[in-house]
Amino acid sequence: MGIVNWFKNLFVRQYDAAKNYGANRLYRPRQSSAAQECSESWQAVTNITRDLDRNNPHVAGLKRRFQWSLVGEGNWPRPKVLKKGAIDEFDFDKNLNLEILKRWEKWSKKASANGDSIYQLQRVAANTFFIDGGVLIRKVYKDRGMCLEAIELDQLDSNYDREADLKGIRVVDGIEIDAFNEPVAYYIKRRFPTEANSDTIRVKAEEIINLFDRERPTQIRGISRLASGAMNLKNIKEFRADTMTLARVATGYGIFIETPNPEDGFQEAYDPNDDIEFINPGAVRYLRSGEKATVVNSQHPAANYADFVKSELMSASVGTGMSYESVSNDGSNTNFSGSRQMMLLERAMSRTTFAVFEEIFYSKIYEWFLENEIYFNGLKIKDFEAERERYLAVAWSRPKREWVDPLKDANTAKTEIEMGVNTLTEYCEQNGKDIEEVVATKKYEKELFKKAGLLTEEENKEVEENA
């Protein structure tokens, strides 16, 4: 019967990955939920990625590029509250929006529970999102009011698991979830596990932001962006260290003596603490009968060193979603078109990640901030609960994008606006600016030039055209 099934499988249409014969017949990863995979692998993966961040320049550079593209100088809100009974979508309540922004600027300076600004917290969140896969942000209260506490995922009490009760509530990896995998509460250690044996507290989900990018329905926490490429980067680190060690040995101990006289002591094992005997340049030494000198030919780094490193960096770049040029900081093997294409892909990735931060992180802290100002700090909005969506309307600044090809990019943007397929508002937002601020600044400049008795650039052009 087994032989019949074997022949039958030869003619059944199926995916190659599902075949139970051939060279890959033993490649059968086990089935598991995303929650199980993260629970079993997260600590081991994160320990490696953190070590690489500390000791691998490629990873350190990748993390910084990720942070720069996502956070830049910091992302701040631009309140977009419309007037009550607004006549269109641009009929903003300017006074209220300005008041909210002023309060944000004051609160943001020490928004973190440890005294950091909100922008430092954003950078920390971006770093841990990339290296650890996510971070917990908890809403707490101190003497100065509401603050945000960043909590590393290590502090989730992963030993606190509980099977589902009659309502379907269960605890997985320190996170209490309902029957639909929605978080109910988090079990968090007060101190980092390796620092002290601390107790575990239960924190309601509405007080926690679990910042991660969900990739599977059953996933309840994140995994490092480096997870799939970490071993490639580790291989580079180890291969480089081994190559350097061999090169030092080859150059430092360049001559070995073979002798039939064991009493000379050459048979003893090498001890790196022993004194090294050097040969003076130009010296002539005579060996005894039977002794033979062998000169070690240093071939390190070997001819395949550069190709190996490049291959591993390419694999790592695919896993992280960044270009090889960004991972390696090497632009010698590409042309302008190739580099531009890779940069555009990276920008697309950055926009996607920014959307995750805006949806999960920024929108929630803005809601917490506004509630705190209304309920505790005297911001007068009487109908906030009745019209939450109107008052929570906000646009977030984005990191400024540097030009790839300044003249071409500017001309392209101008053409798109003239064709009507783009707007100045959208163009400003793409470059980390707000159209209202741009217009207000242009108005200020025009008035400033007028007071000084000078013409603006536009007015000069009009004079030239009419001349």
Side-chain angles (χ1 to χ4, degrees):
M1 191 67 178
I3 296 177
V4 173
N5 288 335
W6 185 84
F7 276 104
K8 182 179 178 181
N9 285 334
L10 288 177
F11 302 100
V12 173
R13 295 176 63 185
Q14 59 181 314
Y15 291 100
D16 287 343
K19 292 179 179 177
N20 57 6
Y21 57 89
N24 296 319
R25 65 187 181 278
L26 299 179
Y27 179 50
R28 288 290 177 267
R30 65 183 178 85
Q31 181 185 34
S32 60
S33 70
Q36 290 173 315
E37 290 175 355
C38 288
S39 177
E40 295 173 8
S41 305
W42 182 86
Q43 194 65 67
V45 170
T46 304
N47 289 345
I48 290 173
T49 56
R50 287 174 179 170
D51 176 74
L52 291 171
D53 180 34
R54 291 190 298 268
N55 300 303
N56 188 306
H58 296 295
V59 175
L62 272 175
K63 183 188 73 173
R64 292 189 181 97
R65 285 178 182 270
F66 179 83
Q67 181 212 100
W68 294 338
S69 65
L70 184 64
V71 177
E73 299 170 354
N75 307 132
W76 60 90
R78 295 185 173 115
K80 300 290 183 181
V81 182
L82 296 173
K83 293 179 181 177
K84 201 172 185 64
I87 58 175
D88 57 44
E89 59 181 328
F90 299 104
D91 191 11
F92 298 115
D93 189 336
K94 295 181 180 179
N95 292 332
L96 179 57
N97 289 332
L98 183 60
E99 176 65 20
I100 293 173
L101 187 56
K102 286 181 178 178
R103 288 170 176 263
W104 171 272
E105 290 175 351
K106 180 180 178 182
W107 173 78
S108 66
K109 293 177 181 178
K110 297 187 72 174
S112 297
N114 64 359
D116 286 344
S117 71
I118 188 65
Y119 308 112
Q120 179 63 58
L121 178 62
Q122 290 173 0
R123 290 188 286 272
V124 168
N127 291 339
T128 51
F129 184 89
F130 186 76
I131 297 297
D132 298 357
V135 66
L136 302 178
I137 308 293
R138 182 187 177 193
K139 177 175 65 173
V140 296
Y141 290 89
K142 299 183 70 175
D143 293 342
R144 62 176 179 272
M146 186 196 75
C147 299
L148 304 172
E149 178 190 13
I151 301 173
E152 296 191 77
L153 293 178
D154 307 69
Q155 290 177 244
L156 277 173
D157 192 345
S158 56
N159 293 322
Y160 198 92
D161 283 8
R162 189 177 68 206
E163 293 297 327
D165 59 18
L166 295 177
K167 295 181 179 180
I169 304 295
R170 65 192 190 281
V171 181
V172 180
D173 210 16
I175 304 176
E176 186 176 325
I177 53 179
D178 65 14
F180 302 96
N181 284 345
E182 181 177 359
V184 176
Y186 294 82
Y187 291 86
I188 301 173
K189 290 181 175 292
R190 293 182 185 271
R191 293 283 299 278
F192 197 86
T194 60
E195 289 183 349
N197 242 341
S198 61
D199 59 331
T200 298
I201 59 174
R202 181 181 184 272
V203 182
K204 294 180 179 179
E206 54 261 34
E207 298 176 14
I208 292 286
I209 297 171
N210 186 3
L211 179 56
F212 75 99
D213 188 10
R214 193 189 309 275
E215 296 181 343
R216 288 180 59 187
T218 54
Q219 190 173 354
I220 58 175
R221 64 187 294 180
I223 194 76
S224 173
R225 281 284 177 95
L226 292 171
S228 60
M231 300 312 293
N232 297 99
L233 293 161
K234 176 177 176 290
N235 289 341
I236 294 172
K237 174 187 173 184
E238 292 184 346
F239 186 61
R240 181 178 290 149
D242 291 344
T243 300
M244 183 60 69
T245 299
L246 289 171
R248 285 175 175 170
V249 169
T251 56
Y253 305 90
I255 297 177
F256 292 89
I257 303 296
E258 298 179 30
T259 176
N261 305 308
E263 65 275 6
D264 290 345
F266 288 116
Q267 75 279 7
E268 294 180 3
Y270 161 69
D271 184 348
N273 296 317
D274 285 347
D275 291 334
I276 303 171
E277 182 180 355
F278 291 95
I279 298 176
N280 295 325
V284 177
R285 297 282 299 271
Y286 294 96
L287 301 179
R288 290 180 295 179
S289 177
E291 291 183 343
K292 177 183 177 182
T294 302
V295 179
V296 178
N297 185 16
S298 174
Q299 296 294 330
H300 298 280
N304 62 345
Y305 176 79
D307 290 338
F308 173 82
V309 172
K310 185 175 181 179
S311 175
E312 294 297 283
L313 286 176
M314 283 183 173
S315 298
S317 71
V318 174
T320 58
M322 294 186 178
S323 66
Y324 165 78
E325 289 76 23
S326 292
V327 178
S328 65
N329 207 31
D330 176 18
S332 62
N333 296 317
T334 187
N335 54 29
F336 176 79
S337 297
S339 295
R340 179 184 173 88
Q341 183 64 27
M342 289 297 99
M343 185 175 291
L344 292 175
L345 289 173
E346 283 186 26
R347 287 186 176 181
M349 182 197 73
S350 178
R351 288 197 302 273
T352 303
T353 308
F354 186 91
V356 173
F357 269 57
E358 188 174 21
E359 175 188 348
I360 300 174
F361 182 26
Y362 294 163
S363 62
K364 192 62 181 179
I365 62 172
Y366 184 74
E367 182 178 3
W368 285 348
F369 157 76
L370 203 55
E371 289 174 344
N372 187 67
E373 293 302 309
I374 294 170
Y375 299 144
F376 301 106
N377 291 330
L379 179 60
K380 296 180 181 179
I381 301 179
K382 295 181 180 180
D383 55 348
F384 175 72
E385 291 298 339
E387 299 190 53
R388 290 181 72 92
E389 289 187 9
R390 179 163 76 90
Y391 289 110
L392 289 173
V394 64
W396 286 86
S397 68
R398 294 172 181 261
K400 181 181 178 182
R401 300 298 184 195
E402 304 298 336
W403 295 105
V404 179
D405 187 328
L407 184 59
K408 288 183 179 179
D409 289 350
N411 287 335
T412 300
K414 181 182 178 182
T415 302
E416 288 180 351
I417 293 170
E418 290 174 349
M419 291 173 60
V421 296
N422 199 354
T423 65
L424 279 172
T425 300
E426 180 68 20
Y427 177 73
C428 286
E429 290 180 356
Q430 290 171 354
N431 289 276
K433 300 177 182 178
D434 186 278
I435 185 65
E436 294 174 329
E437 294 176 2
V438 172
V439 171
T441 303
K442 288 186 70 174
K443 181 182 178 182
Y444 166 75
E445 287 180 347
K446 191 171 183 178
E447 293 174 352
L448 188 65
F449 272 66
K450 186 177 180 180
K451 288 180 181 179
L454 301 173
L455 297 179
T456 63
E457 186 177 349
E458 293 177 357
E459 290 170 336
N460 276 320
K461 286 182 179 179
E462 291 179 5
V463 171
E464 290 176 1
E465 289 174 358
N466 296 326

